[in-house]
Amino acid sequence: MKKISEILQQDNFSRNDIVALLKSEGKEKQLLFEKSHETKQRFVENKVYFRGLIEFSNICRKDCLYCGIRNSNKEVLRYDLTDEEIIDAARFAYENRYGSVVLQSGEITSPNFTERINRLLDQIMKLSNNNLRVTLSCGEQTYETYEKWFNHGATRYLLRIETSNKNLYYKLHPENAAHSFEKRISCLESLKKIGYQVGTGVMIGLPFQTSENLADDLIWMQNIEVDMVGMGPYLEHEQTPLFAYRDQLLPLQTRFDLSLKMIAVLRIMMKNINIAAATAMQAIDKLGREKAIKVGANVIMPNITPGTYRDNYKLYENKPCTDEEREDCKTCLEMRIALTSNDIAYDEWGDSQHFILRKES
Ligand code: 5AD
Ligand code: FES
């Protein structure tokens, strides 16, 4: 067995190396975190970028077995913000000097929906004189739809693969045409081809998931050359089928720790990408996102959804800050970032360095 200190001196990690890093504990784990912290400082500086997150609708046509807003969950109160409410939230982000906003929703696919996003993009570009970057996170769509949105000003897209292992994917999703692993991959390819900054990610500590699966996820991200990654712990939700496997899960604290290690290893593997400190980290540990920033994350997504709706966008239980207003969120985050000795990069777009270099080459 190689020592962790030896592995950390290498330029490239093998699958076995990554598994060893993910299993590191105590002093060895600290070595990993020191190395990832140092890598972050060197390649993406001591900065945190804010992305105002607008969860504009929880209506979803899909039935992912882990997700609280899955179509079959009849206990969820469905909502859809008005265009005005969405634009208001975007204006809040702009006026508060967040460089960008993320429009996220359940998966809705219809010509009307496509057109609606076009209109919203036009309005956001107008209110910000093209100075607010817009990221979309609205699931799987056709190439043409992605292209339209890009042409209306969206520059980034988030679509998590959830797991890069096809067998595991089908343990988390019903195996039917609406939940195809191949479709998910082809969407990511389309987004890249169109010219988006592409973000993906996985859930960590899923039932049936092994350390080898997680190592493969990181290698997969490196191979497809993603620009942005958001990943966090899987959190069971009572109103979902996957809840039946709750007895097989790693303890919450272990899932949290594993997520920190995933972020740290990825930062060392992909030095100049943007990595988000997922909100799910905070659901387990009150200082979860701050800890993620210390070991390599450089993006936080403050929730700027109007307070009245937040409680209904529960992908998992114990979602933090569902009863806050966005002003409170901002102050709270500023204090929290100060604790990590990072600077908040106000007024900056914070494009992924990886993307900028990819475009130049
Ligand atoms: N636990 C953790 N993350 C979840 N997501 C959805 N449901 C859960 C859950 N139960 C994540 C998925 C999705 C993102 C928007 O939220 O990775 O892509
Ligand atoms: Fe909505 Fe998975 S349940 S995309």
Side-chain angles (χ1 to χ4, degrees):
M1 270 279 279
K2 266 193 262 178
K3 280 199 186 145
I4 295 293
S5 54
E6 286 171 52
I7 296 175
L8 288 172
Q9 277 168 22
Q10 299 166 192
D11 286 331
N12 272 311
F13 298 150
S14 68
R15 185 183 196 232
N16 284 341
D17 293 339
I18 299 175
V19 171
L21 291 170
L22 295 179
K23 290 186 170 163
S24 64
E25 290 299 338
K27 276 208 177 100
E28 298 205 306
K29 184 176 78 178
Q30 286 317 316
L31 284 180
L32 164 64
F33 289 164
E34 277 165 30
K35 171 90 183 194
S36 63
H37 177 79
E38 196 186 290
T39 309
K40 181 190 162 191
Q41 308 290 98
R42 234 178 61 224
F43 289 85
V44 291
E45 302 175 67
N46 224 10
K47 279 187 188 174
V48 177
Y49 299 101
F50 276 4
R51 321 289 190 214
L53 175 64
I54 311 171
E55 298 162 334
F56 69 91
S57 174
N58 66 356
I59 299 171
C60 189
R61 70 185 193 102
K62 283 221 176 144
D63 247 332
C64 305
L65 304 175
Y66 46 83
C67 185
I69 63 165
R70 62 199 303 269
N71 192 281
S72 301
N73 186 3
K74 302 300 174 207
E75 293 178 61
V76 184
L77 194 68
R78 302 287 166 175
Y79 72 86
D80 191 6
L81 262 61
T82 63
D83 287 4
E84 290 68 35
E85 285 169 318
I86 299 172
I87 297 300
D88 250 20
R91 189 173 295 112
F92 170 88
Y94 183 58
E95 286 171 357
N96 282 278
R97 304 189 292 136
Y98 294 5
S100 92
V101 287
V102 181
L103 297 192
Q104 186 172 78
S105 68
E107 197 171 293
I108 307 166
T109 50
S110 70
N112 274 345
F113 184 74
T114 304
E115 290 310 312
R116 181 181 186 207
I117 299 292
N118 282 343
R119 275 199 316 275
L120 288 167
L121 286 165
D122 292 346
Q123 289 182 55
I124 295 173
M125 291 305 133
K126 199 166 150 208
L127 79 85
S128 69
N129 295 317
N130 294 322
N131 271 322
L132 198 57
R133 285 278 202 256
V134 181
T135 306
L136 295 176
S137 179
C138 305
E140 296 171 13
Q141 304 284 342
T142 62
Y143 188 94
E144 291 69 34
T145 296
Y146 286 147
E147 200 170 37
K148 278 188 190 154
W149 292 344
F150 187 77
N151 291 335
H152 281 262
T155 53
R156 306 171 179 161
Y157 205 97
L158 303 178
L159 183 64
R160 287 191 179 178
I161 188 77
E162 317 299 356
T163 170
S164 63
N165 182 290
K166 195 170 158 180
N167 281 332
L168 181 55
Y169 191 89
Y170 286 118
K171 289 193 173 122
L172 311 176
H173 301 92
E175 199 161 348
N176 58 32
H179 298 82
S180 147
F181 180 72
E182 276 77 21
K183 174 86 200 297
R184 182 67 61 117
I185 300 271
S186 91
C187 282
L188 287 165
E189 287 166 354
S190 302
L191 291 163
K192 198 157 178 194
K193 187 154 170 233
I194 293 167
Y196 279 97
Q197 277 178 62
V198 180
T200 191
V202 295
M203 283 179 287
I204 299 159
L206 288 158
F208 322 113
Q209 191 180 44
T210 63
S211 303
E212 284 73 17
N213 292 149
L214 290 169
D216 289 340
D217 288 339
L218 297 180
I219 295 169
W220 174 84
M221 289 174 196
Q222 197 172 36
N223 287 341
I224 67 156
E225 292 225 26
V226 289
D227 304 302
M228 317 181 282
V229 171
M231 54 185 174
Y234 161 69
L235 299 164
E236 60 272 37
H237 190 300
E238 198 179 353
Q239 295 154 2
T240 64
L242 224 58
F243 192 69
Y245 300 96
R246 64 191 175 284
D247 296 341
Q248 300 178 23
L249 299 174
L250 295 169
L252 274 180
Q253 199 50 49
T254 315
R255 262 180 269 167
F256 176 80
D257 224 42
L258 192 53
S259 304
L260 285 181
K261 289 187 256 185
M262 283 285 282
I263 291 174
V265 177
L266 182 67
R267 173 55 73 202
I268 303 172
M269 288 172 69
M270 300 191 76
K271 303 183 179 349
N272 58 1
I273 62 169
N274 281 345
I275 304 180
T279 312
M281 310 273 309
Q282 197 190 345
I284 299 183
D285 181 326
K286 284 207 163 22
L287 289 175
R289 291 187 299 186
E290 293 71 11
K291 289 180 183 169
I293 285 171
K294 285 211 161 153
V295 304
N298 66 332
V299 168
I300 280 198
M301 297 161 58
N303 197 332
I304 56 168
T305 309
T308 37
Y309 296 103
R310 281 187 196 193
D311 214 26
N312 301 312
Y313 202 88
K314 281 211 175 129
L315 309 180
Y316 43 81
E317 288 166 21
N318 293 322
K319 193 175 164 212
C321 303
T322 56
D323 52 3
E324 310 290 321
E325 285 298 334
R326 51 200 175 209
E327 280 294 349
D328 303 329
C329 249
K330 185 174 178 237
T331 321
C332 161
L333 267 172
E334 283 175 348
M335 291 190 311
R336 286 161 172 276
I337 307 297
L339 290 176
T340 69
S341 342
N342 273 250
D343 298 321
I344 302 172
Y346 281 121
D347 285 329
E348 288 186 50
W349 286 330
D351 283 325
S352 159
Q353 290 300 321
H354 181 267
F355 174 79
I356 296 170
L357 294 175
R358 183 157 77 74
K359 284 284 129 179
E360 284 170 359
S361 65

